[in-house]
Amino acid sequence: MDPRLAALLLVVLLCSHPAAGQKLVGCCLATRNMCFPRKIVASYFHQEAGNGCKYSATVFLSKAGKQLCAPPQYESKCVQELIAYLDNNKPQRRRKPMF
């Protein structure tokens, strides 16, 4: 095999796999314009178009580990309210006594 071809294949293989410790998250291909119940949602993150995903979205993670795709925060009052609820009800970390 030609060494240049082997080097090219090696570069392609290295670039196509995620770095160690990097978590792969699927992109939302569509969003649901509905209000998700607070009791099933554990957390959220924002998906930005152009950062590996085609569409912007707010991704809620359910307590069962499912991704719930919602419109971006600026497009939905339900999304804004659920984000505010989650931000205001984060569990507080307690410090252990020093002695």
Side-chain angles (χ1 to χ4, degrees), residues 2-85:
D2 183 30
R4 290 179 293 188
L5 180 60
L8 179 62
L9 288 173
L10 180 62
V11 169
V12 168
L13 285 173
L14 290 174
C15 292
S16 65
H17 292 287
Q22 190 176 22
K23 183 179 177 185
L24 289 176
V25 177
C27 294
C28 291
L29 302 178
T31 61
R32 290 181 144 185
N33 197 11
M34 62 178 284
C35 297
F36 296 109
R38 291 178 178 178
K39 65 183 177 184
I40 68 166
V41 178
S43 63
Y44 72 94
F45 64 91
H46 298 288
Q47 170 184 299
E48 299 296 330
N51 292 333
C53 297
K54 188 173 180 179
Y55 302 105
S56 292
T58 303
V59 183
F60 293 104
L61 300 174
S62 75
K63 292 177 181 175
K66 303 284 185 187
Q67 286 190 0
L68 308 171
C69 299
Q73 181 177 0
Y74 56 85
E75 289 184 12
S76 171
K77 187 169 175 73
C78 283
V79 171
Q80 292 169 8
E81 291 173 354
L82 187 50
I83 287 174
Y85 173 80

